[in-house]
Amino acid sequence: MSTIESANMDPGASGIRAILRGSGLRPTRQRMALGRILFGKGNRHISAEELHDEARDRQVAVSLATVYNTLHQFTEVGLLREVVVDGSKTYFDTNTDDHHHFFIEDDNEVVDIPKGQMGVDQVPTAPPGYEITRVDVVVRLRRIKD
Amino acid sequence: MSTIESANMDPGASGIRAILRGSGLRPTRQRMALGRILFGKGNRHISAEELHDEARDRQVAVSLATVYNTLHQFTEVGLLREVVVDGSKTYFDTNTDDHHHFFIEDDNEVVDIPKGQMGVDQVPTAPPGYEITRVDVVVRLRRIKD
DNA sequence: CTGTGTGCAAACTCTTTGCATAAGT
DNA sequence: ACTTATGCAAAGAGTTTGCACACAG
């Protein structure tokens, strides 16, 4: 368990405000609170439900609909990235860099694959008339039981 | 590996029956009909809804619940493979070989990437205690509009 | 003030489930 | 017959939508 909670990442309230302003989003109470949860401590892979629960745990009253709205707005302005690993839930990644994921099937957890540890050697040519928007790689993992 | 040989030829009713028997599934009217749709003409990437519609179009009465049951049973015995490309729908691929996919975002279509046109050069080492079950690559495409 | 954001509940989509009926062997 | 499969409708999860009220600028 990596507990790197050194303040190297936490932008603080004013930082979040700046991020939102810079993205053209009004810094409302809810967006500020969700922003702090999302960007307050390193990279996260979180679902709407999880974010909602976490907000509640922090005594922040935010409706689930607002959580969805906020996640989508953040994604639109490039603060988040959607990760598709599982047909049933949508995960949002605070790391918007080009990178890939491990997906731990046992507990539905998404983990970044360290950059440089994985590569795609031949990106295929897109069929005529199409362009590649992204290449997603998901390495599925299962816990070894013995 | 019981991959269906000659994937581009219609196995015919007797062929489907043999496939089902070989997988330990009773060849019921519904499974036979769905099997023919699925394996009758080359590789397919189909959702439950699409398969249901197609069955209806062929005058085959099958309930949606049975379509889901059948798709999952076929997947369990290795006749199909689930493809995760989109958070909202589940697609089933009649090609169970190791291969990757294009996903055309404009019309939610899944297409196989020709074998050899794409490769993953370094499969990352799985974290200790875990084993890799599969590596999925999805190349997302958008239609070029000009 | 004025417009954007939020909360709530209801609606929606995709998928699963429970149980009585039907069909396979 | 005996067992497994199917159909239906209802329930379930995750997500979205519509509209009145609240809040930021």
Side-chain angles (χ1 to χ4, degrees), chain A residues 19 23 34-35 37-39 43-46 51 67-83 91-97 134:
Chain A
I19 291 171
S23 302
L34 296 178
I37 294 173
L38 289 169
F39 308 117
N43 288 341
R44 309 209 51 179
H45 302 85
I46 202 169
L51 181 54
V67 170
Y68 275 105
N69 284 339
T70 303
L71 286 170
H72 288 139
Q73 289 156 354
F74 283 12
T75 301
E76 267 165 36
V77 301
L79 294 175
L80 292 177
R81 177 179 146 182
E82 234 176 293
V83 184
Y91 288 86
F92 293 86
D93 190 346
T94 56
N95 178 2
T96 56
D97 293 343
R134 199 163 78 201

PDB file of all heavy atoms in Angstrom, chain A residues 19 23 34-35 37-39 43-46 51 67-83 91-97 134:
ATOM      1  N   ILE A  19      -7.683  25.845 -11.378  1.00  0.00           N
ATOM      2  CA  ILE A  19      -7.880  24.815 -12.398  1.00  0.00           C
ATOM      3  C   ILE A  19      -9.252  24.960 -13.050  1.00  0.00           C
ATOM      4  O   ILE A  19      -9.397  24.938 -14.268  1.00  0.00           O
ATOM      5  CB  ILE A  19      -7.749  23.397 -11.777  1.00  0.00           C
ATOM      6  CG1 ILE A  19      -6.288  23.138 -11.374  1.00  0.00           C
ATOM      7  CG2 ILE A  19      -8.230  22.327 -12.749  1.00  0.00           C
ATOM      8  CD1 ILE A  19      -6.089  21.872 -10.566  1.00  0.00           C
ATOM      9  N   SER A  23     -10.369  26.246 -16.878  1.00  0.00           N
ATOM     10  CA  SER A  23     -11.120  25.373 -17.777  1.00  0.00           C
ATOM     11  C   SER A  23     -12.480  25.950 -18.127  1.00  0.00           C
ATOM     12  O   SER A  23     -13.269  25.316 -18.803  1.00  0.00           O
ATOM     13  CB  SER A  23     -11.310  24.004 -17.132  1.00  0.00           C
ATOM     14  OG  SER A  23     -10.065  23.427 -16.819  1.00  0.00           O
ATOM     15  N   LEU A  34     -15.406  18.152  -5.155  1.00  0.00           N
ATOM     16  CA  LEU A  34     -15.090  16.981  -5.967  1.00  0.00           C
ATOM     17  C   LEU A  34     -13.689  17.114  -6.564  1.00  0.00           C
ATOM     18  O   LEU A  34     -12.942  16.138  -6.636  1.00  0.00           O
ATOM     19  CB  LEU A  34     -16.136  16.806  -7.077  1.00  0.00           C
ATOM     20  CG  LEU A  34     -17.561  16.515  -6.572  1.00  0.00           C
ATOM     21  CD1 LEU A  34     -18.533  16.408  -7.732  1.00  0.00           C
ATOM     22  CD2 LEU A  34     -17.594  15.246  -5.728  1.00  0.00           C
ATOM     23  N   GLY A  35     -13.338  18.315  -6.950  1.00  0.00           N
ATOM     24  CA  GLY A  35     -12.005  18.548  -7.493  1.00  0.00           C
ATOM     25  C   GLY A  35     -10.924  18.210  -6.485  1.00  0.00           C
ATOM     26  O   GLY A  35      -9.907  17.606  -6.824  1.00  0.00           O
ATOM     27  N   ILE A  37     -11.143  16.105  -4.032  1.00  0.00           N
ATOM     28  CA  ILE A  37     -11.074  14.645  -3.859  1.00  0.00           C
ATOM     29  C   ILE A  37     -10.334  14.020  -5.028  1.00  0.00           C
ATOM     30  O   ILE A  37      -9.467  13.172  -4.858  1.00  0.00           O
ATOM     31  CB  ILE A  37     -12.505  14.042  -3.754  1.00  0.00           C
ATOM     32  CG1 ILE A  37     -13.190  14.524  -2.483  1.00  0.00           C
ATOM     33  CG2 ILE A  37     -12.435  12.522  -3.791  1.00  0.00           C
ATOM     34  CD1 ILE A  37     -14.646  14.124  -2.371  1.00  0.00           C
ATOM     35  N   LEU A  38     -10.656  14.493  -6.214  1.00  0.00           N
ATOM     36  CA  LEU A  38     -10.052  13.894  -7.403  1.00  0.00           C
ATOM     37  C   LEU A  38      -8.580  14.230  -7.551  1.00  0.00           C
ATOM     38  O   LEU A  38      -7.757  13.348  -7.813  1.00  0.00           O
ATOM     39  CB  LEU A  38     -10.797  14.372  -8.656  1.00  0.00           C
ATOM     40  CG  LEU A  38     -12.208  13.831  -8.853  1.00  0.00           C
ATOM     41  CD1 LEU A  38     -12.917  14.584  -9.964  1.00  0.00           C
ATOM     42  CD2 LEU A  38     -12.149  12.343  -9.174  1.00  0.00           C
ATOM     43  N   PHE A  39      -8.249  15.494  -7.390  1.00  0.00           N
ATOM     44  CA  PHE A  39      -6.887  15.922  -7.694  1.00  0.00           C
ATOM     45  C   PHE A  39      -6.040  16.135  -6.454  1.00  0.00           C
ATOM     46  O   PHE A  39      -4.890  16.557  -6.546  1.00  0.00           O
ATOM     47  CB  PHE A  39      -6.930  17.200  -8.533  1.00  0.00           C
ATOM     48  CG  PHE A  39      -7.804  17.067  -9.740  1.00  0.00           C
ATOM     49  CD1 PHE A  39      -8.940  17.852  -9.900  1.00  0.00           C
ATOM     50  CD2 PHE A  39      -7.516  16.114 -10.714  1.00  0.00           C
ATOM     51  CE1 PHE A  39      -9.760  17.710 -11.009  1.00  0.00           C
ATOM     52  CE2 PHE A  39      -8.326  15.969 -11.825  1.00  0.00           C
ATOM     53  CZ  PHE A  39      -9.454  16.771 -11.972  1.00  0.00           C
ATOM     54  N   ASN A  43      -2.717  10.174  -8.651  1.00  0.00           N
ATOM     55  CA  ASN A  43      -3.620   9.629  -9.655  1.00  0.00           C
ATOM     56  C   ASN A  43      -4.677   8.729  -9.050  1.00  0.00           C
ATOM     57  O   ASN A  43      -4.400   7.927  -8.176  1.00  0.00           O
ATOM     58  CB  ASN A  43      -2.840   8.835 -10.685  1.00  0.00           C
ATOM     59  CG  ASN A  43      -2.047   9.758 -11.589  1.00  0.00           C
ATOM     60  OD1 ASN A  43      -2.353  10.947 -11.656  1.00  0.00           O
ATOM     61  ND2 ASN A  43      -1.063   9.223 -12.253  1.00  0.00           N
ATOM     62  N   ARG A  44      -5.854   8.882  -9.578  1.00  0.00           N
ATOM     63  CA  ARG A  44      -6.954   8.083  -9.092  1.00  0.00           C
ATOM     64  C   ARG A  44      -7.741   7.504 -10.250  1.00  0.00           C
ATOM     65  O   ARG A  44      -7.810   8.084 -11.324  1.00  0.00           O
ATOM     66  CB  ARG A  44      -7.893   8.966  -8.257  1.00  0.00           C
ATOM     67  CG  ARG A  44      -7.159   9.763  -7.182  1.00  0.00           C
ATOM     68  CD  ARG A  44      -8.058  10.020  -6.026  1.00  0.00           C
ATOM     69  NE  ARG A  44      -8.676   8.767  -5.583  1.00  0.00           N
ATOM     70  CZ  ARG A  44      -9.509   8.708  -4.558  1.00  0.00           C
ATOM     71  NH1 ARG A  44      -9.828   9.790  -3.897  1.00  0.00           N
ATOM     72  NH2 ARG A  44     -10.034   7.552  -4.212  1.00  0.00           N
ATOM     73  N   HIS A  45      -8.360   6.375  -9.982  1.00  0.00           N
ATOM     74  CA  HIS A  45      -9.262   5.753 -10.948  1.00  0.00           C
ATOM     75  C   HIS A  45     -10.526   5.506 -10.177  1.00  0.00           C
ATOM     76  O   HIS A  45     -10.564   4.650  -9.301  1.00  0.00           O
ATOM     77  CB  HIS A  45      -8.696   4.428 -11.448  1.00  0.00           C
ATOM     78  CG  HIS A  45      -7.358   4.590 -12.084  1.00  0.00           C
ATOM     79  ND1 HIS A  45      -6.202   4.605 -11.363  1.00  0.00           N
ATOM     80  CD2 HIS A  45      -7.020   4.769 -13.378  1.00  0.00           C
ATOM     81  CE1 HIS A  45      -5.189   4.777 -12.209  1.00  0.00           C
ATOM     82  NE2 HIS A  45      -5.653   4.871 -13.426  1.00  0.00           N
ATOM     83  N   ILE A  46     -11.518   6.275 -10.512  1.00  0.00           N
ATOM     84  CA  ILE A  46     -12.698   6.280  -9.655  1.00  0.00           C
ATOM     85  C   ILE A  46     -13.981   6.247 -10.462  1.00  0.00           C
ATOM     86  O   ILE A  46     -14.039   6.778 -11.567  1.00  0.00           O
ATOM     87  CB  ILE A  46     -12.617   7.529  -8.740  1.00  0.00           C
ATOM     88  CG1 ILE A  46     -13.462   7.382  -7.492  1.00  0.00           C
ATOM     89  CG2 ILE A  46     -12.980   8.782  -9.512  1.00  0.00           C
ATOM     90  CD1 ILE A  46     -13.195   8.474  -6.467  1.00  0.00           C
ATOM     91  N   LEU A  51     -16.931   8.107  -6.060  1.00  0.00           N
ATOM     92  CA  LEU A  51     -16.701   9.523  -5.778  1.00  0.00           C
ATOM     93  C   LEU A  51     -17.822  10.083  -4.922  1.00  0.00           C
ATOM     94  O   LEU A  51     -17.593  10.858  -3.992  1.00  0.00           O
ATOM     95  CB  LEU A  51     -16.590  10.299  -7.097  1.00  0.00           C
ATOM     96  CG  LEU A  51     -16.321  11.804  -7.000  1.00  0.00           C
ATOM     97  CD1 LEU A  51     -15.089  12.107  -6.167  1.00  0.00           C
ATOM     98  CD2 LEU A  51     -16.177  12.399  -8.398  1.00  0.00           C
ATOM     99  N   VAL A  67     -22.543  14.561  -9.385  1.00  0.00           N
ATOM    100  CA  VAL A  67     -21.274  13.855  -9.536  1.00  0.00           C
ATOM    101  C   VAL A  67     -21.095  13.449 -10.994  1.00  0.00           C
ATOM    102  O   VAL A  67     -20.041  13.664 -11.593  1.00  0.00           O
ATOM    103  CB  VAL A  67     -21.217  12.613  -8.624  1.00  0.00           C
ATOM    104  CG1 VAL A  67     -20.010  11.755  -8.971  1.00  0.00           C
ATOM    105  CG2 VAL A  67     -21.151  13.033  -7.162  1.00  0.00           C
ATOM    106  N   TYR A  68     -22.136  12.914 -11.582  1.00  0.00           N
ATOM    107  CA  TYR A  68     -22.057  12.538 -12.988  1.00  0.00           C
ATOM    108  C   TYR A  68     -21.809  13.761 -13.866  1.00  0.00           C
ATOM    109  O   TYR A  68     -20.949  13.748 -14.753  1.00  0.00           O
ATOM    110  CB  TYR A  68     -23.347  11.840 -13.434  1.00  0.00           C
ATOM    111  CG  TYR A  68     -23.353  10.358 -13.146  1.00  0.00           C
ATOM    112  CD1 TYR A  68     -24.102   9.834 -12.107  1.00  0.00           C
ATOM    113  CD2 TYR A  68     -22.603   9.479 -13.915  1.00  0.00           C
ATOM    114  CE1 TYR A  68     -24.110   8.474 -11.832  1.00  0.00           C
ATOM    115  CE2 TYR A  68     -22.608   8.116 -13.648  1.00  0.00           C
ATOM    116  CZ  TYR A  68     -23.370   7.624 -12.612  1.00  0.00           C
ATOM    117  OH  TYR A  68     -23.374   6.283 -12.351  1.00  0.00           O
ATOM    118  N   ASN A  69     -22.573  14.810 -13.624  1.00  0.00           N
ATOM    119  CA  ASN A  69     -22.380  16.030 -14.399  1.00  0.00           C
ATOM    120  C   ASN A  69     -20.942  16.498 -14.309  1.00  0.00           C
ATOM    121  O   ASN A  69     -20.296  16.799 -15.311  1.00  0.00           O
ATOM    122  CB  ASN A  69     -23.288  17.148 -13.873  1.00  0.00           C
ATOM    123  CG  ASN A  69     -24.726  16.968 -14.301  1.00  0.00           C
ATOM    124  OD1 ASN A  69     -25.004  16.272 -15.265  1.00  0.00           O
ATOM    125  ND2 ASN A  69     -25.645  17.572 -13.565  1.00  0.00           N
ATOM    126  N   THR A  70     -20.450  16.561 -13.099  1.00  0.00           N
ATOM    127  CA  THR A  70     -19.103  17.072 -12.860  1.00  0.00           C
ATOM    128  C   THR A  70     -18.043  16.201 -13.532  1.00  0.00           C
ATOM    129  O   THR A  70     -17.126  16.712 -14.178  1.00  0.00           O
ATOM    130  CB  THR A  70     -18.845  17.152 -11.346  1.00  0.00           C
ATOM    131  OG1 THR A  70     -19.848  17.985 -10.767  1.00  0.00           O
ATOM    132  CG2 THR A  70     -17.474  17.721 -11.058  1.00  0.00           C
ATOM    133  N   LEU A  71     -18.185  14.900 -13.402  1.00  0.00           N
ATOM    134  CA  LEU A  71     -17.211  14.010 -14.027  1.00  0.00           C
ATOM    135  C   LEU A  71     -17.192  14.223 -15.541  1.00  0.00           C
ATOM    136  O   LEU A  71     -16.130  14.277 -16.157  1.00  0.00           O
ATOM    137  CB  LEU A  71     -17.531  12.550 -13.695  1.00  0.00           C
ATOM    138  CG  LEU A  71     -17.200  12.117 -12.264  1.00  0.00           C
ATOM    139  CD1 LEU A  71     -17.779  10.742 -11.966  1.00  0.00           C
ATOM    140  CD2 LEU A  71     -15.679  12.100 -12.048  1.00  0.00           C
ATOM    141  N   HIS A  72     -18.358  14.374 -16.120  1.00  0.00           N
ATOM    142  CA  HIS A  72     -18.401  14.571 -17.564  1.00  0.00           C
ATOM    143  C   HIS A  72     -17.858  15.935 -17.975  1.00  0.00           C
ATOM    144  O   HIS A  72     -17.153  16.046 -18.973  1.00  0.00           O
ATOM    145  CB  HIS A  72     -19.820  14.355 -18.075  1.00  0.00           C
ATOM    146  CG  HIS A  72     -20.217  12.914 -18.057  1.00  0.00           C
ATOM    147  ND1 HIS A  72     -21.453  12.478 -17.666  1.00  0.00           N
ATOM    148  CD2 HIS A  72     -19.507  11.801 -18.366  1.00  0.00           C
ATOM    149  CE1 HIS A  72     -21.489  11.144 -17.738  1.00  0.00           C
ATOM    150  NE2 HIS A  72     -20.323  10.716 -18.147  1.00  0.00           N
ATOM    151  N   GLN A  73     -18.175  16.946 -17.179  1.00  0.00           N
ATOM    152  CA  GLN A  73     -17.646  18.271 -17.487  1.00  0.00           C
ATOM    153  C   GLN A  73     -16.130  18.261 -17.381  1.00  0.00           C
ATOM    154  O   GLN A  73     -15.431  18.780 -18.257  1.00  0.00           O
ATOM    155  CB  GLN A  73     -18.226  19.306 -16.513  1.00  0.00           C
ATOM    156  CG  GLN A  73     -19.695  19.598 -16.749  1.00  0.00           C
ATOM    157  CD  GLN A  73     -20.385  20.116 -15.507  1.00  0.00           C
ATOM    158  OE1 GLN A  73     -19.795  20.169 -14.423  1.00  0.00           O
ATOM    159  NE2 GLN A  73     -21.638  20.504 -15.642  1.00  0.00           N
ATOM    160  N   PHE A  74     -15.612  17.657 -16.342  1.00  0.00           N
ATOM    161  CA  PHE A  74     -14.158  17.577 -16.163  1.00  0.00           C
ATOM    162  C   PHE A  74     -13.518  16.829 -17.332  1.00  0.00           C
ATOM    163  O   PHE A  74     -12.438  17.166 -17.787  1.00  0.00           O
ATOM    164  CB  PHE A  74     -13.814  16.885 -14.842  1.00  0.00           C
ATOM    165  CG  PHE A  74     -13.972  17.746 -13.618  1.00  0.00           C
ATOM    166  CD1 PHE A  74     -14.629  18.974 -13.672  1.00  0.00           C
ATOM    167  CD2 PHE A  74     -13.457  17.344 -12.386  1.00  0.00           C
ATOM    168  CE1 PHE A  74     -14.777  19.774 -12.538  1.00  0.00           C
ATOM    169  CE2 PHE A  74     -13.595  18.134 -11.247  1.00  0.00           C
ATOM    170  CZ  PHE A  74     -14.259  19.351 -11.322  1.00  0.00           C
ATOM    171  N   THR A  75     -14.212  15.801 -17.782  1.00  0.00           N
ATOM    172  CA  THR A  75     -13.684  15.027 -18.907  1.00  0.00           C
ATOM    173  C   THR A  75     -13.670  15.870 -20.179  1.00  0.00           C
ATOM    174  O   THR A  75     -12.698  15.867 -20.931  1.00  0.00           O
ATOM    175  CB  THR A  75     -14.534  13.765 -19.129  1.00  0.00           C
ATOM    176  OG1 THR A  75     -14.507  12.979 -17.943  1.00  0.00           O
ATOM    177  CG2 THR A  75     -13.982  12.938 -20.293  1.00  0.00           C
ATOM    178  N   GLU A  76     -14.743  16.618 -20.383  1.00  0.00           N
ATOM    179  CA  GLU A  76     -14.836  17.455 -21.582  1.00  0.00           C
ATOM    180  C   GLU A  76     -13.714  18.480 -21.680  1.00  0.00           C
ATOM    181  O   GLU A  76     -13.190  18.743 -22.756  1.00  0.00           O
ATOM    182  CB  GLU A  76     -16.170  18.208 -21.597  1.00  0.00           C
ATOM    183  CG  GLU A  76     -17.265  17.485 -22.357  1.00  0.00           C
ATOM    184  CD  GLU A  76     -18.632  18.073 -22.031  1.00  0.00           C
ATOM    185  OE1 GLU A  76     -18.718  19.310 -21.836  1.00  0.00           O
ATOM    186  OE2 GLU A  76     -19.609  17.308 -21.947  1.00  0.00           O
ATOM    187  N   VAL A  77     -13.363  19.045 -20.557  1.00  0.00           N
ATOM    188  CA  VAL A  77     -12.315  20.073 -20.574  1.00  0.00           C
ATOM    189  C   VAL A  77     -10.925  19.477 -20.397  1.00  0.00           C
ATOM    190  O   VAL A  77      -9.946  20.201 -20.269  1.00  0.00           O
ATOM    191  CB  VAL A  77     -12.560  21.143 -19.484  1.00  0.00           C
ATOM    192  CG1 VAL A  77     -13.911  21.805 -19.699  1.00  0.00           C
ATOM    193  CG2 VAL A  77     -12.481  20.542 -18.088  1.00  0.00           C
ATOM    194  N   GLY A  78     -10.866  18.151 -20.369  1.00  0.00           N
ATOM    195  CA  GLY A  78      -9.554  17.518 -20.348  1.00  0.00           C
ATOM    196  C   GLY A  78      -8.910  17.336 -18.985  1.00  0.00           C
ATOM    197  O   GLY A  78      -7.721  17.048 -18.896  1.00  0.00           O
ATOM    198  N   LEU A  79      -9.675  17.497 -17.944  1.00  0.00           N
ATOM    199  CA  LEU A  79      -9.108  17.286 -16.611  1.00  0.00           C
ATOM    200  C   LEU A  79      -9.142  15.806 -16.231  1.00  0.00           C
ATOM    201  O   LEU A  79      -8.397  15.354 -15.375  1.00  0.00           O
ATOM    202  CB  LEU A  79      -9.890  18.086 -15.560  1.00  0.00           C
ATOM    203  CG  LEU A  79      -9.817  19.609 -15.659  1.00  0.00           C
ATOM    204  CD1 LEU A  79     -10.741  20.258 -14.636  1.00  0.00           C
ATOM    205  CD2 LEU A  79      -8.376  20.066 -15.451  1.00  0.00           C
ATOM    206  N   LEU A  80     -10.029  15.078 -16.874  1.00  0.00           N
ATOM    207  CA  LEU A  80     -10.160  13.651 -16.603  1.00  0.00           C
ATOM    208  C   LEU A  80     -10.191  12.888 -17.915  1.00  0.00           C
ATOM    209  O   LEU A  80     -10.373  13.464 -18.973  1.00  0.00           O
ATOM    210  CB  LEU A  80     -11.462  13.364 -15.844  1.00  0.00           C
ATOM    211  CG  LEU A  80     -11.622  13.848 -14.415  1.00  0.00           C
ATOM    212  CD1 LEU A  80     -13.023  13.509 -13.929  1.00  0.00           C
ATOM    213  CD2 LEU A  80     -10.573  13.204 -13.522  1.00  0.00           C
ATOM    214  N   ARG A  81     -10.050  11.609 -17.794  1.00  0.00           N
ATOM    215  CA  ARG A  81     -10.130  10.743 -18.954  1.00  0.00           C
ATOM    216  C   ARG A  81     -10.968   9.528 -18.586  1.00  0.00           C
ATOM    217  O   ARG A  81     -10.844   8.983 -17.492  1.00  0.00           O
ATOM    218  CB  ARG A  81      -8.720  10.308 -19.317  1.00  0.00           C
ATOM    219  CG  ARG A  81      -8.659   9.357 -20.449  1.00  0.00           C
ATOM    220  CD  ARG A  81      -7.211   9.023 -20.738  1.00  0.00           C
ATOM    221  NE  ARG A  81      -7.112   7.642 -21.179  1.00  0.00           N
ATOM    222  CZ  ARG A  81      -5.974   7.047 -21.474  1.00  0.00           C
ATOM    223  NH1 ARG A  81      -4.833   7.692 -21.335  1.00  0.00           N
ATOM    224  NH2 ARG A  81      -5.964   5.807 -21.877  1.00  0.00           N
ATOM    225  N   GLU A  82     -11.818   9.132 -19.486  1.00  0.00           N
ATOM    226  CA  GLU A  82     -12.657   7.981 -19.229  1.00  0.00           C
ATOM    227  C   GLU A  82     -11.879   6.713 -19.544  1.00  0.00           C
ATOM    228  O   GLU A  82     -11.167   6.653 -20.535  1.00  0.00           O
ATOM    229  CB  GLU A  82     -13.883   8.051 -20.145  1.00  0.00           C
ATOM    230  CG  GLU A  82     -15.198   7.970 -19.406  1.00  0.00           C
ATOM    231  CD  GLU A  82     -16.355   8.152 -20.350  1.00  0.00           C
ATOM    232  OE1 GLU A  82     -16.504   9.267 -20.892  1.00  0.00           O
ATOM    233  OE2 GLU A  82     -17.100   7.175 -20.555  1.00  0.00           O
ATOM    234  N   VAL A  83     -12.034   5.709 -18.704  1.00  0.00           N
ATOM    235  CA  VAL A  83     -11.350   4.443 -18.939  1.00  0.00           C
ATOM    236  C   VAL A  83     -12.397   3.345 -19.062  1.00  0.00           C
ATOM    237  O   VAL A  83     -13.242   3.192 -18.183  1.00  0.00           O
ATOM    238  CB  VAL A  83     -10.411   4.092 -17.764  1.00  0.00           C
ATOM    239  CG1 VAL A  83      -9.630   2.829 -18.083  1.00  0.00           C
ATOM    240  CG2 VAL A  83      -9.460   5.236 -17.476  1.00  0.00           C
ATOM    241  N   TYR A  91     -15.073   4.217 -15.397  1.00  0.00           N
ATOM    242  CA  TYR A  91     -14.066   4.740 -14.493  1.00  0.00           C
ATOM    243  C   TYR A  91     -13.484   6.009 -15.079  1.00  0.00           C
ATOM    244  O   TYR A  91     -13.360   6.137 -16.294  1.00  0.00           O
ATOM    245  CB  TYR A  91     -12.943   3.721 -14.281  1.00  0.00           C
ATOM    246  CG  TYR A  91     -13.372   2.546 -13.447  1.00  0.00           C
ATOM    247  CD1 TYR A  91     -13.997   1.445 -14.030  1.00  0.00           C
ATOM    248  CD2 TYR A  91     -13.179   2.548 -12.071  1.00  0.00           C
ATOM    249  CE1 TYR A  91     -14.411   0.374 -13.256  1.00  0.00           C
ATOM    250  CE2 TYR A  91     -13.584   1.472 -11.296  1.00  0.00           C
ATOM    251  CZ  TYR A  91     -14.206   0.392 -11.895  1.00  0.00           C
ATOM    252  OH  TYR A  91     -14.612  -0.660 -11.130  1.00  0.00           O
ATOM    253  N   PHE A  92     -13.109   6.915 -14.189  1.00  0.00           N
ATOM    254  CA  PHE A  92     -12.487   8.158 -14.616  1.00  0.00           C
ATOM    255  C   PHE A  92     -11.087   8.207 -14.032  1.00  0.00           C
ATOM    256  O   PHE A  92     -10.878   7.894 -12.856  1.00  0.00           O
ATOM    257  CB  PHE A  92     -13.326   9.347 -14.153  1.00  0.00           C
ATOM    258  CG  PHE A  92     -14.654   9.425 -14.841  1.00  0.00           C
ATOM    259  CD1 PHE A  92     -15.742   8.705 -14.347  1.00  0.00           C
ATOM    260  CD2 PHE A  92     -14.830  10.178 -15.995  1.00  0.00           C
ATOM    261  CE1 PHE A  92     -16.977   8.748 -14.995  1.00  0.00           C
ATOM    262  CE2 PHE A  92     -16.053  10.228 -16.645  1.00  0.00           C
ATOM    263  CZ  PHE A  92     -17.132   9.510 -16.143  1.00  0.00           C
ATOM    264  N   ASP A  93     -10.156   8.595 -14.873  1.00  0.00           N
ATOM    265  CA  ASP A  93      -8.748   8.596 -14.508  1.00  0.00           C
ATOM    266  C   ASP A  93      -8.256  10.033 -14.424  1.00  0.00           C
ATOM    267  O   ASP A  93      -8.448  10.816 -15.353  1.00  0.00           O
ATOM    268  CB  ASP A  93      -7.979   7.841 -15.609  1.00  0.00           C
ATOM    269  CG  ASP A  93      -6.539   7.577 -15.222  1.00  0.00           C
ATOM    270  OD1 ASP A  93      -6.049   8.185 -14.255  1.00  0.00           O
ATOM    271  OD2 ASP A  93      -5.903   6.766 -15.917  1.00  0.00           O
ATOM    272  N   THR A  94      -7.618  10.355 -13.313  1.00  0.00           N
ATOM    273  CA  THR A  94      -7.117  11.719 -13.168  1.00  0.00           C
ATOM    274  C   THR A  94      -5.810  11.915 -13.937  1.00  0.00           C
ATOM    275  O   THR A  94      -5.329  13.031 -14.058  1.00  0.00           O
ATOM    276  CB  THR A  94      -6.866  12.066 -11.685  1.00  0.00           C
ATOM    277  OG1 THR A  94      -5.960  11.110 -11.129  1.00  0.00           O
ATOM    278  CG2 THR A  94      -8.164  12.045 -10.903  1.00  0.00           C
ATOM    279  N   ASN A  95      -5.264  10.828 -14.436  1.00  0.00           N
ATOM    280  CA  ASN A  95      -4.059  10.925 -15.249  1.00  0.00           C
ATOM    281  C   ASN A  95      -4.476  10.974 -16.714  1.00  0.00           C
ATOM    282  O   ASN A  95      -4.951   9.982 -17.264  1.00  0.00           O
ATOM    283  CB  ASN A  95      -3.170   9.710 -14.984  1.00  0.00           C
ATOM    284  CG  ASN A  95      -1.914   9.718 -15.822  1.00  0.00           C
ATOM    285  OD1 ASN A  95      -1.678  10.647 -16.590  1.00  0.00           O
ATOM    286  ND2 ASN A  95      -1.108   8.685 -15.662  1.00  0.00           N
ATOM    287  N   THR A  96      -4.302  12.122 -17.325  1.00  0.00           N
ATOM    288  CA  THR A  96      -4.758  12.264 -18.712  1.00  0.00           C
ATOM    289  C   THR A  96      -3.635  12.023 -19.720  1.00  0.00           C
ATOM    290  O   THR A  96      -3.836  12.186 -20.912  1.00  0.00           O
ATOM    291  CB  THR A  96      -5.354  13.671 -18.938  1.00  0.00           C
ATOM    292  OG1 THR A  96      -4.383  14.649 -18.578  1.00  0.00           O
ATOM    293  CG2 THR A  96      -6.598  13.863 -18.092  1.00  0.00           C
ATOM    294  N   ASP A  97      -2.455  11.664 -19.226  1.00  0.00           N
ATOM    295  CA  ASP A  97      -1.357  11.346 -20.137  1.00  0.00           C
ATOM    296  C   ASP A  97      -1.652  10.046 -20.880  1.00  0.00           C
ATOM    297  O   ASP A  97      -2.515   9.275 -20.497  1.00  0.00           O
ATOM    298  CB  ASP A  97      -0.052  11.147 -19.359  1.00  0.00           C
ATOM    299  CG  ASP A  97       0.416  12.444 -18.718  1.00  0.00           C
ATOM    300  OD1 ASP A  97      -0.068  13.518 -19.125  1.00  0.00           O
ATOM    301  OD2 ASP A  97       1.254  12.366 -17.794  1.00  0.00           O
ATOM    302  N   ARG A 134      -7.457   7.051 -30.348  1.00  0.00           N
ATOM    303  CA  ARG A 134      -6.712   6.593 -29.177  1.00  0.00           C
ATOM    304  C   ARG A 134      -6.462   5.097 -29.261  1.00  0.00           C
ATOM    305  O   ARG A 134      -7.207   4.369 -29.904  1.00  0.00           O
ATOM    306  CB  ARG A 134      -7.509   6.890 -27.910  1.00  0.00           C
ATOM    307  CG  ARG A 134      -6.663   6.873 -26.666  1.00  0.00           C
ATOM    308  CD  ARG A 134      -7.367   7.570 -25.530  1.00  0.00           C
ATOM    309  NE  ARG A 134      -8.400   6.728 -24.934  1.00  0.00           N
ATOM    310  CZ  ARG A 134      -9.407   7.203 -24.234  1.00  0.00           C
ATOM    311  NH1 ARG A 134      -9.538   8.497 -24.066  1.00  0.00           N
ATOM    312  NH2 ARG A 134     -10.292   6.397 -23.718  1.00  0.00           N
TER     313      ARG A 134
END
